[in-house]
Amino acid sequence: MSRTQRLFDLLQLLRCHKYPVAAATLAGELGVSVRTIYRDIATLQSQGAEIEGEAGLGYLLKPNFMLPPLMFSYEELEALLLGAEWVTRQDDLAMTQAAQHAIAKISAILPDTLKWRLEREMIRVGPGVEKPPLLVELAQIRQAIRQESIIEIEYVDQQENLTTRRVWPVLLGFFEACYMLVAWCENRQAFRHFRVDRIRTFHDTEQRYPRRQRDLLKTWQATQGVADKQTRY
């Protein structure tokens, strides 16, 4: 591996960590010595990388630091395009359009050699299980989560009982057979999982719930035994 590539990989690793990470950990992930990490950190800092920390305490890349344009490996491109293709098959029109645009942008800048290999289509997303129709838009739910808004829904449970709930939306899950909303339910004073296809009406109250979405997510993860890195939203 060239030194330039190693420096870039080090930036990528730092970007993946939300908290200070020890030089020994970085060295282990890159397969180099701790002394090399110290030298590379100093080099990146001298070139303008906003890396905080010091030996013995760990290092943290400021979240607003912009990395240079990426050059993906063939396997990375396959993974990105495969994931984007899966998204285009979901019922969220806004996400479908975003995935299509992402595929177009990636394809437009690929070198001819990589573009030819990807056009061979060695892997594809197969047909999935047909999901029940939705009466609410997934984009509305995503917007409520981003704005941390209290929403009111009419929900039909497994026993066909219709109830009205005030909930704090936390996470939207895309599963093979359905979409699932994780939310704190004011009625039950507990986290509940709502199948989106069973939501009959959806109203955004535009009232912000009293806790931050990130804090609620961590609490839910603890109740489910889910590690932070296993959840993306």
Side-chain angles (χ1 to χ4, degrees):
M1 179 190 300
S2 67
R3 185 165 187 264
T4 299
Q5 182 62 50
R6 189 179 71 241
L7 291 172
F8 180 75
D9 289 347
L10 178 55
L11 275 176
Q12 289 284 73
L13 281 176
L14 287 168
R15 188 186 188 189
C16 292
H17 289 276
K18 299 178 182 178
Y19 305 101
V21 55
T25 300
L26 295 169
E29 295 193 50
L30 290 176
V32 298
S33 68
V34 172
R35 187 179 297 274
T36 297
I37 293 296
Y38 291 151
R39 288 199 300 264
D40 288 350
I41 290 288
T43 299
L44 290 170
Q45 289 173 328
S46 68
Q47 294 178 355
E50 298 180 81
I51 301 173
E52 298 179 337
E54 59 184 77
L57 297 178
Y59 297 95
L60 179 66
L61 180 67
K62 286 189 176 181
N64 61 341
F65 179 73
M66 299 298 294
L67 293 177
L70 302 179
M71 176 54 69
F72 298 108
S73 69
Y74 175 67
E75 288 74 18
E76 290 170 339
L77 284 169
E78 275 193 323
L80 288 172
L81 295 177
L82 195 65
E85 183 183 352
W86 182 85
V87 171
T88 64
R89 302 188 180 207
Q90 305 309 308
D91 295 315
D92 191 326
L93 179 59
M95 291 289 283
T96 293
Q97 292 176 339
Q100 291 171 338
H101 292 163
I103 291 174
K105 288 179 180 179
I106 292 173
S107 299
I109 61 172
L110 288 181
D112 290 338
T113 52
L114 276 179
K115 188 177 297 185
W116 175 80
R117 290 182 66 185
L118 288 173
E119 286 174 352
R120 294 173 62 189
E121 296 186 345
M122 292 185 292
I123 55 175
R124 292 296 301 272
V125 175
V129 177
E130 185 175 352
K131 295 180 177 65
L134 305 179
L135 296 179
V136 301
E137 295 183 6
L138 296 175
Q140 288 181 300
I141 298 176
R142 289 193 288 106
Q143 178 73 2
I145 294 173
R146 281 196 296 267
Q147 294 182 345
E148 302 180 347
S149 296
I150 298 173
I151 61 174
E152 294 177 351
I153 61 174
E154 288 185 325
Y155 187 75
V156 177
D157 62 20
Q158 290 182 332
Q159 288 73 41
E160 299 299 321
N161 298 314
L162 179 66
T163 59
T164 300
R165 310 284 191 98
R166 276 175 58 93
V167 302
W168 308 349
V170 177
L171 183 70
L172 184 60
F174 284 58
F175 293 89
E176 185 68 19
C178 66
Y179 305 103
M180 193 74 70
L181 172 64
V182 177
W184 174 265
C185 179
E186 291 186 358
N187 306 60
R188 303 291 188 265
Q189 286 295 296
F191 286 105
R192 288 291 185 266
H193 300 163
F194 301 95
R195 282 185 52 147
V196 177
D197 57 283
R198 292 178 179 163
I199 298 176
R200 294 295 178 260
T201 63
F202 178 98
H203 172 64
D204 188 336
T205 67
E206 298 184 357
Q207 300 173 19
R208 186 166 179 170
Y209 47 74
R211 294 180 61 186
R212 299 309 306 267
Q213 182 266 350
R214 182 61 181 169
D215 293 336
L216 285 171
L217 178 62
K218 287 183 177 180
T219 303
W220 171 79
Q221 288 171 331
T223 65
Q224 300 296 308
V226 178
D228 183 61
K229 291 185 178 181
Q230 292 178 290
T231 307
R232 292 291 181 263
Y233 56 98

